[in-house]
Amino acid sequence: MTVCRRSAALLAVSALILGGCSSTGSEGGGGGSSAAGKVTVEWWNIGTTEPLKTVYATAVKDFEALHPNITIKNVATENDAYKSKLTTLTQSGKAPQIFHTWGGGVLKQQVDAGLVKDISSEAAPWLSTFTDASLAAYQFDGKTYAVPYDIGMVGFWYNKALFKKAGIEEPPGTWTQLLDDVKKLKAAGITPIALAGKAKWPGHYYWAYLAMRIGGLPALQKAGTDKNFNTPDFVAAGQKVKELADLQPFQRGFLGADYDKPGGQAATMGNGKAAMELMGQWAPAVEKSSGKGIGDDLGFFPFPAVEGGKGTVTEAFGGGGGFALGADAPPEAVEFLKFLTSDAEHRKAVGSGGVLPVLKGEEDAATDPNLSVVAKNLASATGFQLYLDQAYPPAVGQEVNDSVAELIAGTKTPDQVTQAITETAKSE
């Protein structure tokens, strides 16, 4: 999976009117009947890197072979470009028929506007095959508005060989130990951490996890309800981020680096040019796709505990990816989602190492050791928090990303970060 999730602005979404309209093939409006009995369904996804790029292309080919009257227009767009493209399209009053979603507050806002299809009834025959955890981000008020395709958590991926070279015997268990390891890596001439500063969303992981470790999950949940981030715990999270940034742990030019582009965060890590990256379960696949991959030298450890914090190291931060339908999507779109998430078909995606299991009893399909370690951490998690730029309304999530990016760049203080996020939240 390519990451991530991250809305750029308040989405004003509208679904395409399909039914018997003729297909123009225009971007965002593709779909409908192009000839008697023939239907084209447009599918927007972020499967631009391997293995999902091939998994998706093969799924389309196999589905069309089974349904010769249905054509799936596979529109794959890189993660950050996808967010911008989707925002532009939805603000113009249009939407793809099937589109990638990370659920949470972003999807909820679309649902509240009546612009996303309630698939509770149409998908009922197979909704029970999904795990409760994988469905949660797409369900509101007892109704389901998307089907999950992936689930996972964010943690530190690290280069065992570089840790050994710096004299680090085991991954850090506390924030203080992490900072000490950053110093050891720098002393050994090794770039400690790869970061996509230009993309912004990878940086918010640090602030979010620190807020979780310091204030606990209730602090994040309360802030989402009372729209107040001007609390000691959130300010302290910002101070910890600044503490890390002051050590200058990131690769040269990180402020202009994308996530999965050549020379970006994933490539820096995948080419052995940095010792760590804080990223989701898709990291190994993207490191290999964007760079060379580091094979058996790659390891994983959960975000460290913060001494004296109310949170615990067993509380996970992350989410998954799923697919939603425009409010007027045709039955053929539902049929494709049913095929895509059937046991036989989804096992191919899990087996490829591209996603983690979302279906009950699918765990044995996850043979990739990197995905298995994430799955084990998830299985033992005592709490779970969705990405903040998805859990909160779009404008709030974007402010989190923007303000934390400025904090890391040294142009905003921890207090200014919480103030900016609070002002945006209260204006919603």
Side-chain angles (χ1 to χ4, degrees):
M1 166 182 175
T2 327
V3 181
C4 21
R5 16 152 246 62
R6 302 155 180 71
S7 293
L10 179 64
L11 298 182
V13 191
S14 177
L16 294 172
I17 305 300
L18 301 174
C21 320
S22 64
S23 174
T24 63
S26 60
E27 187 173 90
S33 301
S34 57
K38 299 284 187 178
V39 177
T40 296
V41 178
E42 189 159 294
W43 173 35
W44 280 28
N45 61 74
I46 56 174
T48 59
T49 59
E50 298 297 353
L52 285 188
K53 182 178 180 180
T54 295
V55 169
Y56 285 175
T58 302
V60 168
K61 182 179 179 181
D62 292 345
F63 177 79
E64 291 177 341
L66 294 171
H67 303 82
N69 64 311
I70 305 173
T71 297
I72 302 298
K73 185 177 180 181
N74 183 4
V75 183
T77 308
E78 182 272 330
N79 182 79
D80 293 310
Y82 170 83
K83 290 175 290 184
S84 298
K85 185 178 177 182
L86 182 63
T87 298
T88 299
L89 179 63
T90 55
Q91 288 178 338
S92 74
K94 300 178 181 179
Q97 295 159 317
I98 304 176
F99 61 97
H100 180 96
T101 177
W102 292 274
V106 176
L107 181 61
K108 179 62 163 60
Q109 202 162 72
Q110 298 167 0
V111 168
D112 288 344
L115 303 169
V116 179
K117 190 179 186 68
D118 173 5
I119 60 173
S120 303
S121 297
E122 291 176 276
W126 90 96
L127 283 181
S128 61
T129 64
F130 295 102
T131 63
D132 292 340
S134 68
L135 273 172
Y138 316 107
Q139 295 179 317
F140 311 103
D141 301 322
K143 297 180 179 179
T144 302
Y145 295 90
V147 293
Y149 195 78
D150 186 25
I151 188 171
M153 65 178 283
V154 173
F156 274 105
W157 296 93
Y158 74 105
N159 188 315
K160 298 174 185 176
L162 294 182
F163 265 47
K164 183 177 181 180
K165 182 178 178 181
I168 303 171
E169 297 182 358
E170 60 183 12
T174 67
W175 181 252
T176 297
Q177 290 171 352
L178 176 68
L179 296 182
D180 288 342
D181 288 345
V182 165
K183 295 173 185 176
K184 290 178 182 177
L185 288 162
K186 285 180 68 72
I190 299 167
T191 298
I193 302 173
L195 180 65
K198 181 180 179 182
K200 297 184 179 179
W201 56 263
H204 111 275
Y205 290 165
Y206 290 87
W207 188 78
Y209 247 133
L210 284 164
M212 281 177 58
R213 296 293 187 255
I214 295 170
L217 286 176
L220 296 173
Q221 295 160 354
K222 187 173 186 297
T225 301
D226 62 21
K227 302 181 179 181
N228 179 30
F229 294 81
N230 280 322
T231 65
D233 289 339
F234 282 107
V235 173
Q239 291 169 341
K240 295 291 186 185
V241 173
K242 184 178 185 302
E243 186 178 27
L244 174 65
D246 285 347
L247 294 178
Q248 298 183 348
F250 309 119
Q251 80 274 22
R252 183 177 300 177
F254 79 92
L255 288 174
D258 286 302
Y259 170 56
D260 56 0
K261 301 283 182 64
Q265 176 176 329
T268 300
M269 186 69 190
N271 289 329
K273 301 298 184 181
M276 291 179 276
E277 70 164 329
L278 183 60
M279 192 47 62
Q281 70 279 4
W282 56 86
V286 184
E287 287 171 11
K288 187 174 181 180
S289 177
S290 300
K292 300 176 182 177
I294 58 175
D296 292 340
D297 281 335
L298 187 65
F300 177 89
F301 64 91
F303 196 93
V306 173
E307 297 89 333
K310 304 181 189 73
T312 70
V313 74
T314 56
E315 291 172 339
F317 173 80
F323 296 107
L325 304 179
D328 297 302
E332 289 82 3
V334 177
E335 192 66 26
F336 179 63
L337 288 190
K338 183 177 181 180
F339 172 82
L340 199 63
T341 57
S342 65
D343 183 74
E345 190 63 27
H346 196 261
R347 278 177 171 271
K348 297 176 185 177
V350 176
S352 76
V355 299
L356 281 173
V358 295
L359 300 173
K360 296 174 182 175
E362 193 182 27
E363 294 79 10
D364 62 304
T367 57
D368 182 275
N370 291 315
L371 291 184
S372 293
V373 71
V374 176
K376 289 177 182 177
N377 273 271
L378 271 174
S380 61
T382 57
F384 191 85
Q385 172 63 48
L386 183 64
Y387 312 112
L388 297 193
D389 56 357
Q390 295 301 308
Y392 301 145
V396 179
Q398 187 60 45
E399 187 59 54
V400 170
N401 287 347
D402 291 344
S403 287
V404 173
E406 292 178 80
L407 173 63
I408 292 173
T411 57
K412 244 180 191 175
T413 67
D415 289 285
Q416 289 173 331
V417 168
T418 58
Q419 182 178 348
I421 297 171
T422 297
E423 289 175 355
T424 300
K426 290 186 179 299
S427 70
E428 286 291 283

